[in-house]
Coordinates of all heavy atoms in Angstrom, one line a residue:
M1136 N 6.3 -29.8 -15.7 CA 7.5 -30.0 -15.0 C 7.2 -30.9 -13.8 O 6.3 -30.7 -13.0 CB 8.0 -28.7 -14.4 CG 9.3 -28.8 -13.7 SD 9.9 -27.1 -13.3 CE 11.0 -27.4 -12.1
F1137 N 8.0 -31.9 -13.7 CA 7.8 -32.9 -12.6 C 8.7 -32.6 -11.4 O 9.9 -32.3 -11.6 CB 8.1 -34.3 -13.2 CG 8.0 -35.4 -12.1 CD1 6.8 -35.9 -11.8 CD2 9.2 -35.9 -11.6 CE1 6.7 -36.9 -10.8 CE2 9.1 -36.9 -10.6 CZ 7.8 -37.4 -10.2
I1138 N 8.1 -32.7 -10.2 CA 8.9 -32.5 -9.0 C 8.7 -33.8 -8.2 O 7.6 -34.3 -8.2 CB 8.6 -31.3 -8.2 CG1 7.1 -31.2 -7.8 CG2 8.9 -30.0 -9.0 CD1 6.8 -30.1 -6.8
S1139 N 9.7 -34.2 -7.4 CA 9.5 -35.4 -6.6 C 8.7 -35.1 -5.4 O 8.4 -33.9 -5.0 CB 10.9 -35.9 -6.2 OG 11.5 -35.0 -5.3
K1140 N 8.3 -36.1 -4.7 CA 7.5 -36.0 -3.5 C 8.3 -35.2 -2.4 O 7.7 -34.4 -1.7 CB 7.0 -37.3 -3.0 CG 6.1 -37.3 -1.9 CD 5.6 -38.7 -1.5 CE 4.5 -38.6 -0.4 NZ 4.0 -39.9 0.0
A1141 N 9.6 -35.5 -2.3 CA 10.4 -34.8 -1.3 C 10.5 -33.3 -1.6 O 10.5 -32.5 -0.7 CB 11.8 -35.4 -1.3
E1142 N 10.7 -33.0 -2.9 CA 10.7 -31.6 -3.3 C 9.4 -30.9 -3.0 O 9.4 -29.7 -2.5 CB 11.1 -31.4 -4.8 CG 12.5 -31.8 -5.1 CD 12.7 -31.7 -6.6 OE1 11.8 -32.2 -7.4 OE2 13.8 -31.3 -7.0
K1143 N 8.3 -31.5 -3.2 CA 7.0 -31.0 -3.0 C 6.8 -30.7 -1.5 O 6.3 -29.7 -1.1 CB 5.9 -32.0 -3.5 CG 4.5 -31.5 -3.4 CD 3.5 -32.5 -4.0 CE 2.1 -32.0 -3.8 NZ 1.1 -33.0 -4.4
E1144 N 7.2 -31.7 -0.7 CA 7.1 -31.5 0.8 C 8.0 -30.4 1.3 O 7.6 -29.6 2.2 CB 7.4 -32.9 1.5 CG 6.4 -33.9 1.3 CD 6.8 -35.3 1.9 OE1 7.9 -35.4 2.5 OE2 6.0 -36.2 1.8
D1145 N 9.2 -30.3 0.7 CA 10.1 -29.2 1.1 C 9.5 -27.9 0.7 O 9.5 -26.9 1.5 CB 11.4 -29.4 0.4 CG 12.4 -28.3 0.8 OD1 12.7 -28.1 2.0 OD2 13.0 -27.6 -0.1
L1146 N 8.9 -27.7 -0.4 CA 8.2 -26.5 -0.8 C 7.0 -26.1 0.1 O 6.9 -25.0 0.5 CB 7.7 -26.6 -2.3 CG 8.8 -26.6 -3.4 CD1 8.2 -26.8 -4.7 CD2 9.5 -25.2 -3.3
F1147 N 6.2 -27.1 0.5 CA 5.1 -26.9 1.4 C 5.6 -26.5 2.8 O 5.1 -25.6 3.4 CB 4.2 -28.1 1.5 CG 3.2 -28.2 0.4 CD1 3.2 -29.4 -0.4 CD2 2.4 -27.2 0.1 CE1 2.3 -29.5 -1.5 CE2 1.5 -27.3 -1.0 CZ 1.4 -28.4 -1.8
Y1148 N 6.7 -27.1 3.2 CA 7.3 -26.7 4.5 C 7.8 -25.2 4.4 O 7.6 -24.5 5.3 CB 8.5 -27.6 4.8 CG 9.3 -27.2 6.0 CD1 8.8 -27.3 7.3 CD2 10.5 -26.5 5.8 CE1 9.5 -26.9 8.4 CE2 11.3 -26.1 6.9 CZ 10.8 -26.3 8.2 OH 11.5 -25.9 9.3
R1149 N 8.5 -24.9 3.3 CA 9.0 -23.5 3.2 C 7.8 -22.5 3.2 O 7.9 -21.4 3.7 CB 9.8 -23.4 1.9 CG 11.2 -24.0 2.1 CD 11.9 -24.0 0.8 NE 13.2 -24.6 0.8 CZ 14.3 -24.2 0.4 NH1 14.3 -23.0 -0.3 NH2 15.4 -24.8 0.5
I1150 N 6.8 -22.8 2.5 CA 5.6 -22.0 2.4 C 5.0 -21.8 3.8 O 4.6 -20.7 4.2 CB 4.5 -22.5 1.4 CG1 5.0 -22.4 0.0 CG2 3.2 -21.8 1.6 CD1 4.2 -23.1 -1.0
G1151 N 4.9 -22.9 4.6 CA 4.4 -22.8 5.9 C 5.3 -21.9 6.8 O 4.8 -21.1 7.6
V1152 N 6.6 -22.0 6.7 CA 7.5 -21.1 7.4 C 7.3 -19.7 7.1 O 7.2 -18.8 7.9 CB 9.0 -21.5 7.2 CG1 9.9 -20.5 7.8 CG2 9.2 -22.9 7.8
L1153 N 7.1 -19.4 5.8 CA 6.9 -18.0 5.3 C 5.6 -17.5 5.9 O 5.5 -16.3 6.3 CB 6.9 -17.9 3.8 CG 8.3 -18.0 3.2 CD1 8.2 -18.1 1.6 CD2 9.2 -16.9 3.5
E1154 N 4.5 -18.3 5.8 CA 3.2 -17.9 6.4 C 3.3 -17.6 7.8 O 2.8 -16.6 8.3 CB 2.2 -19.0 6.1 CG 1.8 -19.1 4.7 CD 0.8 -20.3 4.5 OE1 0.8 -21.2 5.3 OE2 0.1 -20.2 3.5
Q1155 N 4.0 -18.4 8.6 CA 4.2 -18.2 10.0 C 5.0 -16.9 10.3 O 4.6 -16.1 11.2 CB 4.9 -19.4 10.7 CG 4.8 -19.4 12.2 CD 3.3 -19.4 12.6 OE1 2.5 -20.1 12.1 NE2 3.0 -18.7 13.7
T1156 N 6.0 -16.6 9.5 CA 6.8 -15.4 9.6 C 5.9 -14.2 9.4 O 6.0 -13.2 10.1 CB 8.0 -15.4 8.7 OG1 8.7 -16.6 8.9 CG2 8.8 -14.2 8.8
I1157 N 5.1 -14.2 8.4 CA 4.2 -13.1 8.0 C 3.2 -12.9 9.2 O 3.0 -11.7 9.6 CB 3.5 -13.4 6.7 CG1 4.5 -13.3 5.6 CG2 2.3 -12.4 6.5 CD1 3.9 -13.7 4.2
L1158 N 2.6 -13.9 9.7 CA 1.7 -13.8 10.8 C 2.3 -13.2 12.0 O 1.8 -12.3 12.7 CB 1.1 -15.1 11.1 CG 0.1 -15.7 10.1 CD1 -0.3 -17.1 10.5 CD2 -1.1 -14.8 9.9
T1159 N 3.6 -13.6 12.3 CA 4.3 -13.1 13.4 C 4.6 -11.6 13.2 O 4.4 -10.8 14.2 CB 5.6 -13.8 13.6 OG1 5.4 -15.2 13.8 CG2 6.4 -13.3 14.8
L1160 N 5.0 -11.2 12.0 CA 5.3 -9.8 11.7 C 4.0 -8.9 11.9 O 4.0 -7.8 12.4 CB 5.9 -9.6 10.3 CG 7.3 -10.1 10.2 CD1 7.7 -10.1 8.7 CD2 8.3 -9.3 11.0
R1161 N 2.9 -9.5 11.4 CA 1.6 -8.7 11.5 C 1.3 -8.5 12.9 O 0.8 -7.4 13.3 CB 0.5 -9.5 10.7 CG 0.5 -9.3 9.3 CD -0.7 -9.9 8.7 NE -0.7 -9.8 7.2 CZ -1.5 -10.5 6.4 NH1 -2.3 -11.4 6.9 NH2 -1.4 -10.3 5.1
A1162 N 1.4 -9.5 13.7 CA 1.1 -9.4 15.1 C 2.0 -8.4 15.8 O 1.5 -7.6 16.7 CB 1.2 -10.8 15.8
S1163 N 3.2 -8.4 15.5 CA 4.2 -7.4 16.2 C 3.8 -6.0 15.7 O 4.0 -5.1 16.5 CB 5.6 -7.8 15.9 OG 5.9 -7.6 14.5
M1164 N 3.4 -5.8 14.5 CA 3.0 -4.5 14.0 C 1.8 -4.0 14.7 O 1.7 -2.8 15.0 CB 2.8 -4.5 12.5 CG 4.1 -4.7 11.7 SD 3.8 -4.9 9.9 CE 3.0 -3.3 9.5
K1165 N 0.9 -4.9 15.0 CA -0.4 -4.5 15.6 C -0.1 -4.1 17.1 O -0.7 -3.1 17.6 CB -1.4 -5.6 15.6 CG -2.0 -5.8 14.3 CD -3.1 -6.8 14.3 CE -3.7 -7.0 12.9 NZ -4.7 -8.0 12.9
K1166 N 0.9 -4.8 17.7 CA 1.2 -4.4 19.1 C 1.9 -3.1 19.2 O 1.7 -2.3 20.1 CB 2.2 -5.5 19.7 CG 1.5 -6.8 20.0 CD 2.5 -7.8 20.5 CE 1.9 -9.2 20.7 NZ 2.9 -10.1 21.2
E1167 N 2.7 -2.7 18.2 CA 3.4 -1.5 18.2 C 2.6 -0.3 17.8 O 3.0 0.9 18.0 CB 4.7 -1.6 17.3 CG 5.7 -2.6 17.8 CD 6.8 -2.8 16.8 OE1 6.9 -2.1 15.8 OE2 7.7 -3.7 17.1
A1168 N 1.5 -0.5 17.1 CA 0.6 0.6 16.7 C 0.1 1.3 17.9 O -0.3 0.7 18.9 CB -0.5 0.0 15.8
P1169 N 0.1 2.7 17.8 CA -0.4 3.4 18.9 C -2.0 3.2 19.0 O -2.7 3.0 18.1 CB -0.1 4.9 18.5 CG 0.1 4.9 17.0 CD 0.6 3.5 16.7
I1170 N -2.4 3.4 20.3 CA -3.8 3.2 20.6 C -4.6 4.4 19.9 O -4.1 5.5 20.0 CB -4.0 3.1 22.1 CG1 -3.3 1.9 22.6 CG2 -5.5 3.0 22.4 CD1 -3.3 1.9 24.1
K1171 N -5.7 4.1 19.3 CA -6.5 5.2 18.7 C -6.8 6.2 19.7 O -7.3 5.9 20.8 CB -7.7 4.6 18.0 CG -8.4 5.5 17.1 CD -9.5 4.8 16.4 CE -10.1 5.8 15.3 NZ -11.1 5.1 14.5
G1172 N -6.6 7.5 19.4 CA -6.9 8.6 20.3 C -5.7 9.0 21.1 O -5.8 10.0 21.8
E1173 N -4.7 8.1 21.1 CA -3.5 8.5 22.0 C -2.7 9.4 21.2 O -2.3 9.2 20.0 CB -2.7 7.2 22.2 CG -1.5 7.4 23.1 CD -0.8 6.1 23.4 OE1 -1.5 5.0 23.5 OE2 0.4 6.1 23.4
K1174 N -2.3 10.5 21.8 CA -1.5 11.5 21.1 C -0.1 11.5 21.7 O 0.1 11.3 22.9 CB -2.1 12.9 21.4 CG -3.4 13.1 20.7 CD -3.9 14.5 20.9 CE -5.2 14.7 20.2 NZ -5.7 16.1 20.4
K1175 N 0.9 11.7 20.8 CA 2.2 11.8 21.2 C 2.5 13.2 21.5 O 2.1 14.1 20.7 CB 3.2 11.3 20.1 CG 3.1 9.8 19.8 CD 4.1 9.4 18.8 CE 4.0 7.9 18.5 NZ 4.9 7.5 17.5
S1176 N 3.1 13.5 22.6 CA 3.4 14.9 23.0 C 4.8 15.3 22.5 O 5.7 14.5 22.5 CB 3.3 15.1 24.5 OG 4.2 14.2 25.1
M1177 N 4.9 16.5 22.0 CA 6.2 17.0 21.6 C 6.8 17.8 22.7 O 6.2 18.4 23.5 CB 5.9 18.0 20.4 CG 5.4 17.3 19.1 SD 5.1 18.5 17.8 CE 6.7 19.1 17.4
S1178 N 8.1 17.7 22.7 CA 8.9 18.5 23.7 C 8.8 20.0 23.4 O 8.5 20.3 22.2 CB 10.3 18.0 23.8 OG 11.0 18.4 22.6
P1179 N 8.9 20.8 24.3 CA 8.8 22.3 24.0 C 9.8 22.7 23.0 O 9.5 23.6 22.1 CB 9.1 22.9 25.4 CG 8.7 21.9 26.4 CD 9.0 20.6 25.8
E1180 N 11.0 22.1 23.0 CA 12.0 22.5 22.0 C 11.6 22.1 20.6 O 11.7 22.9 19.6 CB 13.4 21.8 22.3 CG 14.0 22.3 23.6 CD 13.5 21.5 24.8 OE1 12.9 20.4 24.6 OE2 13.6 22.0 26.0
N1181 N 11.1 20.9 20.5 CA 10.6 20.4 19.2 C 9.4 21.2 18.7 O 9.3 21.5 17.5 CB 10.3 18.9 19.2 CG 11.5 18.1 19.3 OD1 12.6 18.5 19.0 ND2 11.4 16.8 19.7
R1182 N 8.5 21.5 19.6 CA 7.4 22.3 19.3 C 7.8 23.7 18.7 O 7.2 24.2 17.7 CB 6.5 22.5 20.5 CG 5.2 23.2 20.2 CD 4.3 23.3 21.4 NE 4.0 22.0 22.0 CZ 2.8 21.3 21.7 NH1 2.0 21.9 20.9 NH2 2.6 20.1 22.2
A1183 N 8.8 24.3 19.4 CA 9.3 25.6 18.9 C 9.9 25.5 17.6 O 9.7 26.4 16.7 CB 10.3 26.2 20.0
K1184 N 10.7 24.5 17.3 CA 11.3 24.3 16.0 C 10.3 24.1 14.9 O 10.4 24.7 13.8 CB 12.3 23.1 16.1 CG 13.5 23.3 16.9 CD 14.4 22.0 16.9 CE 15.6 22.2 17.8 NZ 16.3 20.9 17.9
Q1185 N 9.3 23.3 15.2 CA 8.2 23.1 14.3 C 7.5 24.3 14.0 O 7.1 24.6 12.8 CB 7.3 22.0 14.7 CG 6.2 21.6 13.8 CD 6.7 21.0 12.5 OE1 7.8 20.5 12.4 NE2 5.8 21.1 11.5
A1186 N 7.2 25.1 15.0 CA 6.5 26.4 14.8 C 7.3 27.3 13.9 O 6.7 28.0 13.0 CB 6.2 27.0 16.1
E1187 N 8.6 27.4 14.1 CA 9.4 28.2 13.3 C 9.4 27.8 11.8 O 9.3 28.6 10.9 CB 10.9 28.2 13.8 CG 11.7 29.3 13.3 CD 11.2 30.7 13.7 OE1 10.6 30.9 14.8 OE2 11.3 31.6 12.8
R1188 N 9.5 26.4 11.6 CA 9.5 25.9 10.2 C 8.1 26.3 9.6 O 8.1 26.6 8.4 CB 9.6 24.4 10.3 CG 11.1 23.9 10.5 CD 11.2 22.5 10.2 NE 10.5 21.6 11.1 CZ 11.0 21.1 12.2 NH1 12.3 21.4 12.5 NH2 10.3 20.3 13.0
M1189 N 7.0 26.1 10.3 CA 5.7 26.4 9.7 C 5.6 27.9 9.4 O 5.1 28.3 8.4 CB 4.6 26.0 10.7 CG 4.5 24.5 10.9 SD 4.1 23.6 9.5 CE 2.4 24.1 9.3
K1190 N 6.1 28.8 10.3 CA 6.1 30.2 10.0 C 6.8 30.6 8.7 O 6.4 31.3 7.9 CB 6.6 31.0 11.2 CG 5.7 31.0 12.4 CD 6.4 31.8 13.5 CE 5.5 31.7 14.8 NZ 6.2 32.3 15.9
K1191 N 8.0 30.0 8.6 CA 8.8 30.2 7.4 C 8.1 29.7 6.1 O 8.1 30.3 5.1 CB 10.2 29.5 7.5 CG 11.1 30.2 8.4 CD 12.5 29.5 8.5 CE 13.4 30.2 9.5 NZ 14.7 29.5 9.6
M1192 N 7.5 28.5 6.2 CA 6.8 27.9 5.1 C 5.6 28.8 4.7 O 5.5 29.1 3.5 CB 6.3 26.5 5.4 CG 5.5 25.9 4.3 SD 4.6 24.4 4.7 CE 3.2 25.1 5.7
W1193 N 4.8 29.3 5.6 CA 3.7 30.1 5.3 C 4.1 31.5 4.8 O 3.5 32.0 3.9 CB 2.7 30.2 6.4 CG 1.9 29.0 6.6 CD1 2.0 28.1 7.7 CD2 1.0 28.4 5.8 NE1 1.2 27.0 7.5 CE2 0.5 27.2 6.3 CE3 0.4 28.8 4.6 CZ2 -0.5 26.4 5.7 CZ3 -0.5 28.0 3.9 CH2 -1.0 26.8 4.5
A1194 N 5.2 32.0 5.3 CA 5.7 33.3 4.8 C 6.2 33.1 3.4 O 5.9 34.0 2.6 CB 6.8 33.8 5.7
G1195 N 6.8 32.0 3.1 CA 7.3 31.8 1.7 C 6.1 31.6 0.7 O 6.1 32.2 -0.4
K1196 N 5.0 31.0 1.2 CA 3.9 30.8 0.3 C 3.2 32.1 0.1 O 2.7 32.5 -1.0 CB 2.9 29.8 1.0 CG 3.3 28.4 0.8 CD 2.2 27.5 1.3 CE 2.6 26.0 1.1 NZ 1.5 25.1 1.4
K1197 N 3.1 33.0 1.1 CA 2.5 34.3 1.0 C 3.3 35.2 0.1 O 2.7 35.9 -0.8 CB 2.4 34.9 2.4 CG 1.6 36.2 2.4 CD 1.5 36.7 3.8 CE 0.7 38.1 3.8 NZ 0.6 38.6 5.2
L1198 N 4.6 35.1 0.2 CA 5.5 35.9 -0.7 C 5.3 35.5 -2.1 O 5.2 36.3 -3.0 CB 6.9 35.8 -0.2 CG 7.9 36.6 -1.0 CD1 7.7 38.1 -0.8 CD2 9.3 36.2 -0.6
K1199 N 5.2 34.2 -2.4 CA 5.0 33.7 -3.8 C 3.7 34.2 -4.3 O 3.6 34.5 -5.5 CB 5.1 32.2 -3.8 CG 6.5 31.6 -3.7 CD 6.5 30.1 -3.9 CE 7.8 29.5 -3.7 NZ 7.8 28.0 -3.8
K1200 N 2.7 34.1 -3.5 CA 1.3 34.5 -3.9 C 1.3 36.0 -4.2 O 0.7 36.4 -5.2 CB 0.3 34.2 -2.8 CG -1.1 34.4 -3.2 CD -2.0 33.9 -2.1 CE -3.5 34.0 -2.5 NZ -4.3 33.6 -1.4
E1201 N 2.0 36.8 -3.4 CA 2.0 38.3 -3.6 C 2.8 38.7 -4.9 O 2.5 39.6 -5.6 CB 2.5 39.0 -2.4 CG 1.6 39.0 -1.2 CD 2.2 39.5 0.0 OE1 3.4 39.9 0.0 OE2 1.5 39.6 1.0
T1202 N 3.9 38.0 -5.1 CA 4.8 38.3 -6.2 C 4.3 37.7 -7.6 O 4.8 38.1 -8.6 CB 6.2 37.9 -6.0 OG1 6.2 36.5 -5.8 CG2 6.8 38.6 -4.8
A1203 N 3.4 36.8 -7.5 CA 2.9 36.1 -8.7 C 1.9 36.9 -9.5 O 1.5 37.9 -9.3 CB 2.3 34.8 -8.4

């Protein structure tokens, strides 16, 4: 398949734009990533809700194990 010089230059330009976009996105993702070792703290309300969910989950697993 033959493409003209203008079409070829247009394709290379588009590829360059896509590459730059990808590099920009990668850089922004790295900036937003949490620092290693940094912990997010949970609010006391969220911690209590999570504890209740975990208790229910383990109670359900224990019940299944006992009835099986």
Side-chain angles (χ1 to χ4, degrees):
M1136 182 174 161
F1137 177 76
I1138 59 171
S1139 68
K1140 188 174 182 181
E1142 288 174 323
K1143 184 177 178 181
E1144 289 175 0
D1145 183 54
L1146 289 174
F1147 280 123
Y1148 171 75
R1149 289 175 181 224
I1150 290 170
V1152 170
L1153 287 173
E1154 287 175 339
Q1155 194 60 38
T1156 304
I1157 290 170
L1158 290 174
T1159 304
L1160 288 172
R1161 281 186 183 167
S1163 68
M1164 288 175 62
K1165 286 183 181 180
K1166 288 180 185 177
E1167 293 174 5
I1170 298 170
K1171 192 172 187 175
E1173 182 179 323
K1174 294 183 179 180
K1175 294 183 179 180
S1176 60
M1177 293 176 67
S1178 68
E1180 297 85 20
N1181 287 343
R1182 187 179 296 267
K1184 288 178 186 176
Q1185 181 65 20
E1187 196 61 38
R1188 283 193 294 268
M1189 294 297 289
K1190 286 178 186 175
K1191 287 181 183 178
M1192 181 192 71
W1193 286 111
K1196 284 187 177 188
K1197 185 176 180 181
L1198 182 63
K1199 283 183 183 178
K1200 190 175 181 180
E1201 289 174 354
T1202 58

